[in-house]
Amino acid sequence: HVQLVESGGGSVQAEGSLRLSCVASGISHRDPCMGWFRQFPGQEREVVATMDDYGRTRYSPSVEGRYTITRGKDNYELFLQMNSLKPGDAAMYYCGVRLNSGCPTRPRDFSEWGQGTQVTVS
């Protein structure tokens, strides 16, 4: 079965940086659409950044220019470099995978999720 494991979250001061990692296993689809999402307390999950099977990326306007999504060599690793972090970026961050064609940005279009990693910015 599909398993996603995120890591790299933690506590950082404003303007600091963190790098999140996600390792996916059990996926037979080559170069699946993958993305990072975040969820604030009491709110719905929202997209942060996605990458499709061609390596094309899309970012939420709230993070563009500060965050960078990249993929590992085997395409089942996903990273999120977060720079210039703000207190408003503090949230639970999730890695998501879409097993069907296309690479939308709505969380509901992603079927597989990791357990999340907490990011705190003070």
Side-chain angles (χ1 to χ4, degrees):
H1 70 284
V2 177
Q3 187 173 17
L4 304 176
V5 179
E6 302 104 331
S7 61
S11 184
V12 65
Q13 291 187 338
E15 297 305 314
S17 298
L18 283 174
R19 186 173 186 250
L20 305 184
S21 300
C22 172
V23 178
S25 60
I27 298 175
S28 58
H29 188 313
R30 187 179 175 186
D31 302 332
C33 169
M34 299 181 72
W36 286 100
F37 300 79
R38 65 186 180 186
Q39 190 165 13
F40 302 108
Q43 297 188 29
E44 294 186 354
R45 198 166 297 185
E46 64 179 42
V47 67
V48 172
T50 60
M51 179 177 282
D52 70 9
D53 53 349
Y54 292 99
R56 294 176 297 200
T57 58
R58 286 197 280 184
Y59 293 91
S60 165
S62 63
V63 307
E64 190 148 23
R66 300 187 298 122
Y67 289 15
T68 304
I69 186 172
T70 56
R71 242 173 161 136
K73 287 183 179 180
D74 66 3
N75 290 323
Y76 296 117
E77 290 181 306
L78 192 70
F79 305 99
L80 185 68
Q81 179 66 41
M82 305 186 295
N83 298 328
S84 302
L85 282 161
K86 306 173 183 179
D89 294 318
M92 184 71 80
Y93 283 71
Y94 296 90
C95 174
V97 171
R98 175 177 166 83
L99 300 180
N100 295 325
S101 61
C103 199
T105 57
R106 297 177 302 185
R108 66 184 183 188
D109 292 319
F110 287 71
S111 58
E112 311 296 329
W113 297 96
Q115 81 289 350
T117 185
Q118 182 70 46
V119 171
T120 303
V121 184
S122 59

